[in-house]
Amino acid sequence: MHADLDTLCTVIYCTADDLLPEARANARRRITDAELVTLCVAQAIMGIPSDRRFLAAARRQLGHLFPNLPSQSAYWRRRRRLAGAIEWLMGVFAAQSPGFSDDLLLVDSTPVECARSRETAKRSALADAAGYGYCRSHSRWYWGLRLHLLAAPDGTPRAFTLADPRRGEREVALELLERAARGGEVLVCDKGYAGREFAASAGELCVTVVRPQRLDEPGAGPHLAPIRQRIESIFWTCKDLLTLERHGARTLAGLRERILARFLCLAACISLNHRLGRPSRALVDYCA
């Protein structure tokens, strides 16, 4: 097998076609659920947030794989309906990677901006879920949500969630650990997760928290920069190649399904790269 878009689409389609339940017969339906999930992954790796532009590009670049393509409205409706299946398939591909059983976990969060102007924020359908937050790495305020990610060092997503930026990172991290930790893991995080209560709660889940020392704490502490850089690199892959910051969503459900499609794409690429003996997050060859 070669690392290219056709191979990725074929792997996604075969896995989805084997595992997803057969949908009810519908004479108006032009493609199967497995084909639509594959199109969602192709849209993510091709970096085209607009559904209209993606379907036009797919006719040219993916016509040999998808002779029939849905209309824009049908594509939107069925992606919304298949959001649960996309999330489940992400777990299936994640379980095929060595990172799924890794005892070292990384946790961090990154902004997902949803609007720039005050008027847009006031009118947005995301107003009930989004809020204002401060991004220290870029030294700026933003309006939107915050993506919290629990991942293995090879980039395999173990758990993630979108949360109001005003929620504490430690609170959300504990929710992710409750979902994904099996016990015995070492959690590497930054100084923002410092706190005795957080370390004690993680300890109850049999997870050891390791972080850099704060300025008001004695001792030099462990040198974690090379390990912590992994989570930043994973976020950069999502933002650069998978257009995480250009999601194009206008509603909370739309944002969720678009984020899910990107992480399904990431998990599938990592799984395929392990099979091909390639670096886990070498995604460039899959871009059209």
Side-chain angles (χ1 to χ4, degrees), residues 105-109 147-150 159-161 163 167-181 187-190 192-194 198-199 201-202 205 207 209:
L105 296 177
L106 310 174
V107 67
D108 207 348
S109 63
L147 175 67
H148 298 258
L149 174 65
L150 186 70
F160 72 91
T161 189
R167 289 191 65 190
E169 289 183 316
R170 288 169 288 187
E171 176 187 354
V172 180
L174 285 176
E175 294 178 0
L176 296 180
L177 287 174
E178 290 174 356
R179 288 165 48 187
L187 179 68
V188 178
C189 50
D190 61 22
Y193 294 87
F198 174 70
S201 299
L205 298 172
V207 176
V209 177

PDB file of all heavy atoms in Angstrom, residues 105-109 147-150 159-161 163 167-181 187-190 192-194 198-199 201-202 205 207 209:
ATOM      1  N   LEU A 105       0.279   9.612  28.975  1.00  0.00           N
ATOM      2  CA  LEU A 105      -0.780  10.433  28.406  1.00  0.00           C
ATOM      3  C   LEU A 105      -0.383  11.906  28.451  1.00  0.00           C
ATOM      4  O   LEU A 105       0.324  12.340  29.367  1.00  0.00           O
ATOM      5  CB  LEU A 105      -2.094  10.235  29.179  1.00  0.00           C
ATOM      6  CG  LEU A 105      -2.721   8.845  29.141  1.00  0.00           C
ATOM      7  CD1 LEU A 105      -3.960   8.806  30.021  1.00  0.00           C
ATOM      8  CD2 LEU A 105      -3.069   8.456  27.714  1.00  0.00           C
ATOM      9  N   LEU A 106      -0.851  12.654  27.479  1.00  0.00           N
ATOM     10  CA  LEU A 106      -0.626  14.091  27.406  1.00  0.00           C
ATOM     11  C   LEU A 106      -1.976  14.790  27.435  1.00  0.00           C
ATOM     12  O   LEU A 106      -2.929  14.332  26.799  1.00  0.00           O
ATOM     13  CB  LEU A 106       0.121  14.455  26.118  1.00  0.00           C
ATOM     14  CG  LEU A 106       1.388  13.654  25.794  1.00  0.00           C
ATOM     15  CD1 LEU A 106       1.907  14.041  24.418  1.00  0.00           C
ATOM     16  CD2 LEU A 106       2.450  13.882  26.845  1.00  0.00           C
ATOM     17  N   VAL A 107      -2.075  15.904  28.143  1.00  0.00           N
ATOM     18  CA  VAL A 107      -3.320  16.656  28.187  1.00  0.00           C
ATOM     19  C   VAL A 107      -3.016  18.141  28.042  1.00  0.00           C
ATOM     20  O   VAL A 107      -2.022  18.646  28.574  1.00  0.00           O
ATOM     21  CB  VAL A 107      -4.094  16.393  29.507  1.00  0.00           C
ATOM     22  CG1 VAL A 107      -3.351  16.940  30.714  1.00  0.00           C
ATOM     23  CG2 VAL A 107      -5.492  16.953  29.434  1.00  0.00           C
ATOM     24  N   ASP A 108      -3.833  18.813  27.289  1.00  0.00           N
ATOM     25  CA  ASP A 108      -3.728  20.264  27.114  1.00  0.00           C
ATOM     26  C   ASP A 108      -4.996  20.735  26.425  1.00  0.00           C
ATOM     27  O   ASP A 108      -5.867  19.939  26.068  1.00  0.00           O
ATOM     28  CB  ASP A 108      -2.499  20.635  26.290  1.00  0.00           C
ATOM     29  CG  ASP A 108      -1.981  22.038  26.619  1.00  0.00           C
ATOM     30  OD1 ASP A 108      -2.716  22.791  27.303  1.00  0.00           O
ATOM     31  OD2 ASP A 108      -0.870  22.375  26.196  1.00  0.00           O
ATOM     32  N   SER A 109      -5.106  22.041  26.237  1.00  0.00           N
ATOM     33  CA  SER A 109      -6.274  22.604  25.568  1.00  0.00           C
ATOM     34  C   SER A 109      -5.834  23.705  24.626  1.00  0.00           C
ATOM     35  O   SER A 109      -4.742  24.281  24.777  1.00  0.00           O
ATOM     36  CB  SER A 109      -7.273  23.156  26.593  1.00  0.00           C
ATOM     37  OG  SER A 109      -6.696  24.216  27.337  1.00  0.00           O
ATOM     38  N   LEU A 147     -10.939  23.499  23.107  1.00  0.00           N
ATOM     39  CA  LEU A 147     -10.820  22.075  22.838  1.00  0.00           C
ATOM     40  C   LEU A 147      -9.822  21.465  23.821  1.00  0.00           C
ATOM     41  O   LEU A 147      -8.647  21.841  23.842  1.00  0.00           O
ATOM     42  CB  LEU A 147     -10.357  21.837  21.404  1.00  0.00           C
ATOM     43  CG  LEU A 147     -10.073  20.384  21.012  1.00  0.00           C
ATOM     44  CD1 LEU A 147     -11.359  19.566  21.004  1.00  0.00           C
ATOM     45  CD2 LEU A 147      -9.390  20.316  19.657  1.00  0.00           C
ATOM     46  N   HIS A 148     -10.287  20.541  24.639  1.00  0.00           N
ATOM     47  CA  HIS A 148      -9.439  19.835  25.592  1.00  0.00           C
ATOM     48  C   HIS A 148      -9.160  18.441  25.037  1.00  0.00           C
ATOM     49  O   HIS A 148     -10.098  17.708  24.694  1.00  0.00           O
ATOM     50  CB  HIS A 148     -10.126  19.733  26.951  1.00  0.00           C
ATOM     51  CG  HIS A 148     -10.411  21.065  27.587  1.00  0.00           C
ATOM     52  ND1 HIS A 148      -9.635  21.585  28.596  1.00  0.00           N
ATOM     53  CD2 HIS A 148     -11.391  21.972  27.340  1.00  0.00           C
ATOM     54  CE1 HIS A 148     -10.123  22.763  28.958  1.00  0.00           C
ATOM     55  NE2 HIS A 148     -11.192  23.017  28.210  1.00  0.00           N
ATOM     56  N   LEU A 149      -7.884  18.082  24.980  1.00  0.00           N
ATOM     57  CA  LEU A 149      -7.479  16.824  24.332  1.00  0.00           C
ATOM     58  C   LEU A 149      -6.618  15.994  25.265  1.00  0.00           C
ATOM     59  O   LEU A 149      -5.671  16.503  25.875  1.00  0.00           O
ATOM     60  CB  LEU A 149      -6.708  17.120  23.044  1.00  0.00           C
ATOM     61  CG  LEU A 149      -6.097  15.921  22.316  1.00  0.00           C
ATOM     62  CD1 LEU A 149      -7.182  14.982  21.806  1.00  0.00           C
ATOM     63  CD2 LEU A 149      -5.219  16.400  21.154  1.00  0.00           C
ATOM     64  N   LEU A 150      -6.960  14.718  25.360  1.00  0.00           N
ATOM     65  CA  LEU A 150      -6.150  13.721  26.054  1.00  0.00           C
ATOM     66  C   LEU A 150      -5.636  12.770  24.984  1.00  0.00           C
ATOM     67  O   LEU A 150      -6.440  12.120  24.296  1.00  0.00           O
ATOM     68  CB  LEU A 150      -6.993  12.972  27.087  1.00  0.00           C
ATOM     69  CG  LEU A 150      -6.278  11.986  28.014  1.00  0.00           C
ATOM     70  CD1 LEU A 150      -5.389  12.741  29.006  1.00  0.00           C
ATOM     71  CD2 LEU A 150      -7.295  11.133  28.773  1.00  0.00           C
ATOM     72  N   ALA A 159      -9.309  10.898  24.256  1.00  0.00           N
ATOM     73  CA  ALA A 159     -10.573  11.542  24.625  1.00  0.00           C
ATOM     74  C   ALA A 159     -10.422  13.032  24.363  1.00  0.00           C
ATOM     75  O   ALA A 159      -9.331  13.592  24.489  1.00  0.00           O
ATOM     76  CB  ALA A 159     -10.935  11.291  26.081  1.00  0.00           C
ATOM     77  N   PHE A 160     -11.528  13.679  23.985  1.00  0.00           N
ATOM     78  CA  PHE A 160     -11.509  15.133  23.827  1.00  0.00           C
ATOM     79  C   PHE A 160     -12.915  15.660  24.045  1.00  0.00           C
ATOM     80  O   PHE A 160     -13.908  14.922  23.982  1.00  0.00           O
ATOM     81  CB  PHE A 160     -10.971  15.531  22.440  1.00  0.00           C
ATOM     82  CG  PHE A 160     -11.913  15.259  21.305  1.00  0.00           C
ATOM     83  CD1 PHE A 160     -12.827  16.209  20.879  1.00  0.00           C
ATOM     84  CD2 PHE A 160     -11.884  14.042  20.646  1.00  0.00           C
ATOM     85  CE1 PHE A 160     -13.703  15.951  19.842  1.00  0.00           C
ATOM     86  CE2 PHE A 160     -12.743  13.769  19.602  1.00  0.00           C
ATOM     87  CZ  PHE A 160     -13.651  14.730  19.202  1.00  0.00           C
ATOM     88  N   THR A 161     -12.989  16.949  24.292  1.00  0.00           N
ATOM     89  CA  THR A 161     -14.289  17.593  24.467  1.00  0.00           C
ATOM     90  C   THR A 161     -14.155  19.070  24.180  1.00  0.00           C
ATOM     91  O   THR A 161     -13.062  19.652  24.283  1.00  0.00           O
ATOM     92  CB  THR A 161     -14.825  17.360  25.900  1.00  0.00           C
ATOM     93  OG1 THR A 161     -16.174  17.804  25.983  1.00  0.00           O
ATOM     94  CG2 THR A 161     -13.999  18.137  26.928  1.00  0.00           C
ATOM     95  N   ALA A 163     -15.412  22.752  25.465  1.00  0.00           N
ATOM     96  CA  ALA A 163     -15.931  23.316  26.704  1.00  0.00           C
ATOM     97  C   ALA A 163     -15.857  24.838  26.650  1.00  0.00           C
ATOM     98  O   ALA A 163     -15.091  25.425  25.880  1.00  0.00           O
ATOM     99  CB  ALA A 163     -15.138  22.806  27.908  1.00  0.00           C
ATOM    100  N   ARG A 167     -14.460  27.518  31.890  1.00  0.00           N
ATOM    101  CA  ARG A 167     -14.323  26.336  32.747  1.00  0.00           C
ATOM    102  C   ARG A 167     -12.853  26.055  33.019  1.00  0.00           C
ATOM    103  O   ARG A 167     -11.989  26.246  32.156  1.00  0.00           O
ATOM    104  CB  ARG A 167     -14.957  25.119  32.104  1.00  0.00           C
ATOM    105  CG  ARG A 167     -16.472  25.124  32.050  1.00  0.00           C
ATOM    106  CD  ARG A 167     -16.990  23.767  31.643  1.00  0.00           C
ATOM    107  NE  ARG A 167     -16.693  22.748  32.643  1.00  0.00           N
ATOM    108  CZ  ARG A 167     -16.870  21.434  32.441  1.00  0.00           C
ATOM    109  NH1 ARG A 167     -17.345  20.999  31.283  1.00  0.00           N
ATOM    110  NH2 ARG A 167     -16.581  20.577  33.385  1.00  0.00           N
ATOM    111  N   GLY A 168     -12.560  25.581  34.208  1.00  0.00           N
ATOM    112  CA  GLY A 168     -11.184  25.286  34.581  1.00  0.00           C
ATOM    113  C   GLY A 168     -10.631  24.087  33.841  1.00  0.00           C
ATOM    114  O   GLY A 168     -11.337  23.093  33.600  1.00  0.00           O
ATOM    115  N   GLU A 169      -9.364  24.168  33.471  1.00  0.00           N
ATOM    116  CA  GLU A 169      -8.729  23.071  32.742  1.00  0.00           C
ATOM    117  C   GLU A 169      -8.676  21.796  33.575  1.00  0.00           C
ATOM    118  O   GLU A 169      -8.840  20.696  33.052  1.00  0.00           O
ATOM    119  CB  GLU A 169      -7.315  23.481  32.323  1.00  0.00           C
ATOM    120  CG  GLU A 169      -7.250  24.515  31.223  1.00  0.00           C
ATOM    121  CD  GLU A 169      -5.837  24.824  30.802  1.00  0.00           C
ATOM    122  OE1 GLU A 169      -4.986  24.985  31.693  1.00  0.00           O
ATOM    123  OE2 GLU A 169      -5.576  24.891  29.586  1.00  0.00           O
ATOM    124  N   ARG A 170      -8.448  21.944  34.875  1.00  0.00           N
ATOM    125  CA  ARG A 170      -8.347  20.756  35.720  1.00  0.00           C
ATOM    126  C   ARG A 170      -9.685  20.025  35.817  1.00  0.00           C
ATOM    127  O   ARG A 170      -9.734  18.793  35.804  1.00  0.00           O
ATOM    128  CB  ARG A 170      -7.855  21.164  37.119  1.00  0.00           C
ATOM    129  CG  ARG A 170      -6.389  21.562  37.149  1.00  0.00           C
ATOM    130  CD  ARG A 170      -6.004  22.216  38.457  1.00  0.00           C
ATOM    131  NE  ARG A 170      -6.573  23.561  38.563  1.00  0.00           N
ATOM    132  CZ  ARG A 170      -6.286  24.412  39.535  1.00  0.00           C
ATOM    133  NH1 ARG A 170      -5.458  24.058  40.502  1.00  0.00           N
ATOM    134  NH2 ARG A 170      -6.833  25.612  39.563  1.00  0.00           N
ATOM    135  N   GLU A 171     -10.765  20.783  35.887  1.00  0.00           N
ATOM    136  CA  GLU A 171     -12.094  20.174  35.952  1.00  0.00           C
ATOM    137  C   GLU A 171     -12.389  19.355  34.707  1.00  0.00           C
ATOM    138  O   GLU A 171     -12.871  18.216  34.782  1.00  0.00           O
ATOM    139  CB  GLU A 171     -13.147  21.267  36.138  1.00  0.00           C
ATOM    140  CG  GLU A 171     -14.577  20.775  36.132  1.00  0.00           C
ATOM    141  CD  GLU A 171     -15.591  21.909  36.140  1.00  0.00           C
ATOM    142  OE1 GLU A 171     -15.173  23.082  36.263  1.00  0.00           O
ATOM    143  OE2 GLU A 171     -16.788  21.622  36.008  1.00  0.00           O
ATOM    144  N   VAL A 172     -12.089  19.925  33.538  1.00  0.00           N
ATOM    145  CA  VAL A 172     -12.346  19.211  32.279  1.00  0.00           C
ATOM    146  C   VAL A 172     -11.399  18.026  32.129  1.00  0.00           C
ATOM    147  O   VAL A 172     -11.792  16.951  31.648  1.00  0.00           O
ATOM    148  CB  VAL A 172     -12.210  20.184  31.092  1.00  0.00           C
ATOM    149  CG1 VAL A 172     -12.472  19.450  29.776  1.00  0.00           C
ATOM    150  CG2 VAL A 172     -13.165  21.358  31.234  1.00  0.00           C
ATOM    151  N   ALA A 173     -10.138  18.197  32.549  1.00  0.00           N
ATOM    152  CA  ALA A 173      -9.164  17.105  32.434  1.00  0.00           C
ATOM    153  C   ALA A 173      -9.605  15.888  33.245  1.00  0.00           C
ATOM    154  O   ALA A 173      -9.434  14.742  32.802  1.00  0.00           O
ATOM    155  CB  ALA A 173      -7.790  17.573  32.882  1.00  0.00           C
ATOM    156  N   LEU A 174     -10.184  16.113  34.417  1.00  0.00           N
ATOM    157  CA  LEU A 174     -10.664  14.990  35.226  1.00  0.00           C
ATOM    158  C   LEU A 174     -11.795  14.244  34.517  1.00  0.00           C
ATOM    159  O   LEU A 174     -11.885  13.016  34.583  1.00  0.00           O
ATOM    160  CB  LEU A 174     -11.133  15.494  36.591  1.00  0.00           C
ATOM    161  CG  LEU A 174     -10.030  15.874  37.580  1.00  0.00           C
ATOM    162  CD1 LEU A 174     -10.632  16.458  38.850  1.00  0.00           C
ATOM    163  CD2 LEU A 174      -9.167  14.656  37.925  1.00  0.00           C
ATOM    164  N   GLU A 175     -12.668  14.992  33.836  1.00  0.00           N
ATOM    165  CA  GLU A 175     -13.739  14.341  33.079  1.00  0.00           C
ATOM    166  C   GLU A 175     -13.165  13.471  31.959  1.00  0.00           C
ATOM    167  O   GLU A 175     -13.656  12.365  31.703  1.00  0.00           O
ATOM    168  CB  GLU A 175     -14.674  15.400  32.498  1.00  0.00           C
ATOM    169  CG  GLU A 175     -15.452  16.182  33.550  1.00  0.00           C
ATOM    170  CD  GLU A 175     -16.323  17.256  32.936  1.00  0.00           C
ATOM    171  OE1 GLU A 175     -16.320  17.387  31.688  1.00  0.00           O
ATOM    172  OE2 GLU A 175     -17.005  17.981  33.691  1.00  0.00           O
ATOM    173  N   LEU A 176     -12.107  13.950  31.296  1.00  0.00           N
ATOM    174  CA  LEU A 176     -11.479  13.158  30.235  1.00  0.00           C
ATOM    175  C   LEU A 176     -10.807  11.911  30.810  1.00  0.00           C
ATOM    176  O   LEU A 176     -10.874  10.828  30.214  1.00  0.00           O
ATOM    177  CB  LEU A 176     -10.452  14.011  29.484  1.00  0.00           C
ATOM    178  CG  LEU A 176     -10.998  15.221  28.721  1.00  0.00           C
ATOM    179  CD1 LEU A 176      -9.859  15.964  28.029  1.00  0.00           C
ATOM    180  CD2 LEU A 176     -12.040  14.814  27.703  1.00  0.00           C
ATOM    181  N   LEU A 177     -10.163  12.066  31.965  1.00  0.00           N
ATOM    182  CA  LEU A 177      -9.512  10.915  32.587  1.00  0.00           C
ATOM    183  C   LEU A 177     -10.536   9.858  33.001  1.00  0.00           C
ATOM    184  O   LEU A 177     -10.292   8.658  32.871  1.00  0.00           O
ATOM    185  CB  LEU A 177      -8.699  11.366  33.799  1.00  0.00           C
ATOM    186  CG  LEU A 177      -7.405  12.127  33.507  1.00  0.00           C
ATOM    187  CD1 LEU A 177      -6.787  12.628  34.803  1.00  0.00           C
ATOM    188  CD2 LEU A 177      -6.410  11.248  32.755  1.00  0.00           C
ATOM    189  N   GLU A 178     -11.678  10.302  33.501  1.00  0.00           N
ATOM    190  CA  GLU A 178     -12.716   9.348  33.890  1.00  0.00           C
ATOM    191  C   GLU A 178     -13.217   8.553  32.690  1.00  0.00           C
ATOM    192  O   GLU A 178     -13.625   7.395  32.820  1.00  0.00           O
ATOM    193  CB  GLU A 178     -13.876  10.090  34.558  1.00  0.00           C
ATOM    194  CG  GLU A 178     -13.529  10.645  35.936  1.00  0.00           C
ATOM    195  CD  GLU A 178     -14.646  11.499  36.504  1.00  0.00           C
ATOM    196  OE1 GLU A 178     -15.647  11.712  35.773  1.00  0.00           O
ATOM    197  OE2 GLU A 178     -14.518  11.969  37.650  1.00  0.00           O
ATOM    198  N   ARG A 179     -13.184   9.171  31.513  1.00  0.00           N
ATOM    199  CA  ARG A 179     -13.640   8.493  30.302  1.00  0.00           C
ATOM    200  C   ARG A 179     -12.592   7.551  29.719  1.00  0.00           C
ATOM    201  O   ARG A 179     -12.939   6.493  29.168  1.00  0.00           O
ATOM    202  CB  ARG A 179     -14.021   9.526  29.246  1.00  0.00           C
ATOM    203  CG  ARG A 179     -15.309  10.265  29.538  1.00  0.00           C
ATOM    204  CD  ARG A 179     -15.446  11.510  28.671  1.00  0.00           C
ATOM    205  NE  ARG A 179     -15.169  11.263  27.262  1.00  0.00           N
ATOM    206  CZ  ARG A 179     -15.085  12.218  26.340  1.00  0.00           C
ATOM    207  NH1 ARG A 179     -15.268  13.485  26.691  1.00  0.00           N
ATOM    208  NH2 ARG A 179     -14.832  11.909  25.082  1.00  0.00           N
ATOM    209  N   ALA A 180     -11.305   7.929  29.817  1.00  0.00           N
ATOM    210  CA  ALA A 180     -10.285   7.222  29.041  1.00  0.00           C
ATOM    211  C   ALA A 180      -9.238   6.489  29.864  1.00  0.00           C
ATOM    212  O   ALA A 180      -8.603   5.567  29.347  1.00  0.00           O
ATOM    213  CB  ALA A 180      -9.580   8.205  28.102  1.00  0.00           C
ATOM    214  N   ALA A 181      -9.015   6.889  31.122  1.00  0.00           N
ATOM    215  CA  ALA A 181      -7.939   6.269  31.903  1.00  0.00           C
ATOM    216  C   ALA A 181      -8.335   4.868  32.352  1.00  0.00           C
ATOM    217  O   ALA A 181      -9.477   4.626  32.754  1.00  0.00           O
ATOM    218  CB  ALA A 181      -7.598   7.132  33.107  1.00  0.00           C
ATOM    219  N   LEU A 187       0.348  11.031  33.581  1.00  0.00           N
ATOM    220  CA  LEU A 187      -0.233  12.163  32.856  1.00  0.00           C
ATOM    221  C   LEU A 187       0.748  13.326  32.882  1.00  0.00           C
ATOM    222  O   LEU A 187       1.096  13.836  33.947  1.00  0.00           O
ATOM    223  CB  LEU A 187      -1.551  12.583  33.494  1.00  0.00           C
ATOM    224  CG  LEU A 187      -2.270  13.770  32.852  1.00  0.00           C
ATOM    225  CD1 LEU A 187      -2.788  13.385  31.468  1.00  0.00           C
ATOM    226  CD2 LEU A 187      -3.411  14.257  33.734  1.00  0.00           C
ATOM    227  N   VAL A 188       1.192  13.764  31.704  1.00  0.00           N
ATOM    228  CA  VAL A 188       2.102  14.900  31.577  1.00  0.00           C
ATOM    229  C   VAL A 188       1.290  16.122  31.167  1.00  0.00           C
ATOM    230  O   VAL A 188       0.544  16.080  30.179  1.00  0.00           O
ATOM    231  CB  VAL A 188       3.210  14.613  30.540  1.00  0.00           C
ATOM    232  CG1 VAL A 188       4.114  15.835  30.379  1.00  0.00           C
ATOM    233  CG2 VAL A 188       4.038  13.408  30.970  1.00  0.00           C
ATOM    234  N   CYS A 189       1.423  17.195  31.937  1.00  0.00           N
ATOM    235  CA  CYS A 189       0.650  18.408  31.673  1.00  0.00           C
ATOM    236  C   CYS A 189       1.507  19.622  32.000  1.00  0.00           C
ATOM    237  O   CYS A 189       2.672  19.498  32.415  1.00  0.00           O
ATOM    238  CB  CYS A 189      -0.641  18.421  32.496  1.00  0.00           C
ATOM    239  SG  CYS A 189      -0.397  18.090  34.242  1.00  0.00           S
ATOM    240  N   ASP A 190       0.955  20.823  31.807  1.00  0.00           N
ATOM    241  CA  ASP A 190       1.707  22.038  32.090  1.00  0.00           C
ATOM    242  C   ASP A 190       1.331  22.587  33.461  1.00  0.00           C
ATOM    243  O   ASP A 190       0.560  21.999  34.208  1.00  0.00           O
ATOM    244  CB  ASP A 190       1.505  23.082  30.985  1.00  0.00           C
ATOM    245  CG  ASP A 190       0.043  23.495  30.844  1.00  0.00           C
ATOM    246  OD1 ASP A 190      -0.725  23.333  31.806  1.00  0.00           O
ATOM    247  OD2 ASP A 190      -0.327  24.001  29.770  1.00  0.00           O
ATOM    248  N   GLY A 192      -0.563  24.903  34.338  1.00  0.00           N
ATOM    249  CA  GLY A 192      -1.957  25.268  34.535  1.00  0.00           C
ATOM    250  C   GLY A 192      -2.771  24.191  35.227  1.00  0.00           C
ATOM    251  O   GLY A 192      -3.866  24.466  35.714  1.00  0.00           O
ATOM    252  N   TYR A 193      -2.249  22.976  35.266  1.00  0.00           N
ATOM    253  CA  TYR A 193      -2.951  21.873  35.919  1.00  0.00           C
ATOM    254  C   TYR A 193      -2.444  21.630  37.338  1.00  0.00           C
ATOM    255  O   TYR A 193      -2.776  20.613  37.952  1.00  0.00           O
ATOM    256  CB  TYR A 193      -2.803  20.593  35.100  1.00  0.00           C
ATOM    257  CG  TYR A 193      -3.479  20.669  33.758  1.00  0.00           C
ATOM    258  CD1 TYR A 193      -2.821  21.194  32.648  1.00  0.00           C
ATOM    259  CD2 TYR A 193      -4.781  20.224  33.581  1.00  0.00           C
ATOM    260  CE1 TYR A 193      -3.441  21.282  31.411  1.00  0.00           C
ATOM    261  CE2 TYR A 193      -5.404  20.297  32.350  1.00  0.00           C
ATOM    262  CZ  TYR A 193      -4.732  20.829  31.271  1.00  0.00           C
ATOM    263  OH  TYR A 193      -5.347  20.910  30.046  1.00  0.00           O
ATOM    264  N   ALA A 194      -1.641  22.555  37.854  1.00  0.00           N
ATOM    265  CA  ALA A 194      -1.116  22.405  39.206  1.00  0.00           C
ATOM    266  C   ALA A 194      -2.237  22.529  40.228  1.00  0.00           C
ATOM    267  O   ALA A 194      -3.130  23.358  40.093  1.00  0.00           O
ATOM    268  CB  ALA A 194      -0.039  23.462  39.471  1.00  0.00           C
ATOM    269  N   PHE A 198      -6.473  18.390  42.232  1.00  0.00           N
ATOM    270  CA  PHE A 198      -6.417  17.727  40.928  1.00  0.00           C
ATOM    271  C   PHE A 198      -5.522  16.490  40.994  1.00  0.00           C
ATOM    272  O   PHE A 198      -5.890  15.414  40.498  1.00  0.00           O
ATOM    273  CB  PHE A 198      -5.894  18.693  39.867  1.00  0.00           C
ATOM    274  CG  PHE A 198      -5.677  18.063  38.518  1.00  0.00           C
ATOM    275  CD1 PHE A 198      -6.753  17.659  37.747  1.00  0.00           C
ATOM    276  CD2 PHE A 198      -4.391  17.857  38.026  1.00  0.00           C
ATOM    277  CE1 PHE A 198      -6.560  17.057  36.506  1.00  0.00           C
ATOM    278  CE2 PHE A 198      -4.190  17.259  36.788  1.00  0.00           C
ATOM    279  CZ  PHE A 198      -5.277  16.866  36.034  1.00  0.00           C
ATOM    280  N   ALA A 199      -4.349  16.620  41.618  1.00  0.00           N
ATOM    281  CA  ALA A 199      -3.447  15.470  41.730  1.00  0.00           C
ATOM    282  C   ALA A 199      -4.082  14.352  42.552  1.00  0.00           C
ATOM    283  O   ALA A 199      -3.941  13.169  42.223  1.00  0.00           O
ATOM    284  CB  ALA A 199      -2.121  15.909  42.352  1.00  0.00           C
ATOM    285  N   SER A 201      -7.380  13.802  42.952  1.00  0.00           N
ATOM    286  CA  SER A 201      -8.480  13.201  42.182  1.00  0.00           C
ATOM    287  C   SER A 201      -7.952  12.289  41.086  1.00  0.00           C
ATOM    288  O   SER A 201      -8.515  11.221  40.818  1.00  0.00           O
ATOM    289  CB  SER A 201      -9.352  14.304  41.576  1.00  0.00           C
ATOM    290  OG  SER A 201      -9.932  15.109  42.582  1.00  0.00           O
ATOM    291  N   ALA A 202      -6.848  12.712  40.438  1.00  0.00           N
ATOM    292  CA  ALA A 202      -6.233  11.852  39.427  1.00  0.00           C
ATOM    293  C   ALA A 202      -5.670  10.592  40.075  1.00  0.00           C
ATOM    294  O   ALA A 202      -5.736   9.498  39.495  1.00  0.00           O
ATOM    295  CB  ALA A 202      -5.142  12.609  38.686  1.00  0.00           C
ATOM    296  N   LEU A 205      -7.976   7.800  40.421  1.00  0.00           N
ATOM    297  CA  LEU A 205      -8.152   7.055  39.171  1.00  0.00           C
ATOM    298  C   LEU A 205      -6.902   6.268  38.810  1.00  0.00           C
ATOM    299  O   LEU A 205      -6.815   5.736  37.694  1.00  0.00           O
ATOM    300  CB  LEU A 205      -8.492   8.022  38.036  1.00  0.00           C
ATOM    301  CG  LEU A 205      -9.787   8.828  38.190  1.00  0.00           C
ATOM    302  CD1 LEU A 205      -9.894   9.890  37.098  1.00  0.00           C
ATOM    303  CD2 LEU A 205     -11.000   7.916  38.163  1.00  0.00           C
ATOM    304  N   VAL A 207      -3.896   7.484  38.333  1.00  0.00           N
ATOM    305  CA  VAL A 207      -3.130   8.236  37.349  1.00  0.00           C
ATOM    306  C   VAL A 207      -2.162   9.150  38.083  1.00  0.00           C
ATOM    307  O   VAL A 207      -2.562   9.885  38.990  1.00  0.00           O
ATOM    308  CB  VAL A 207      -4.052   9.074  36.431  1.00  0.00           C
ATOM    309  CG1 VAL A 207      -3.232   9.935  35.484  1.00  0.00           C
ATOM    310  CG2 VAL A 207      -4.988   8.165  35.648  1.00  0.00           C
ATOM    311  N   VAL A 209       0.189  12.378  38.096  1.00  0.00           N
ATOM    312  CA  VAL A 209       0.325  13.653  37.399  1.00  0.00           C
ATOM    313  C   VAL A 209       1.778  14.126  37.482  1.00  0.00           C
ATOM    314  O   VAL A 209       2.353  14.200  38.572  1.00  0.00           O
ATOM    315  CB  VAL A 209      -0.617  14.714  38.004  1.00  0.00           C
ATOM    316  CG1 VAL A 209      -0.415  16.061  37.305  1.00  0.00           C
ATOM    317  CG2 VAL A 209      -2.063  14.265  37.899  1.00  0.00           C
TER     318      VAL A 209
END
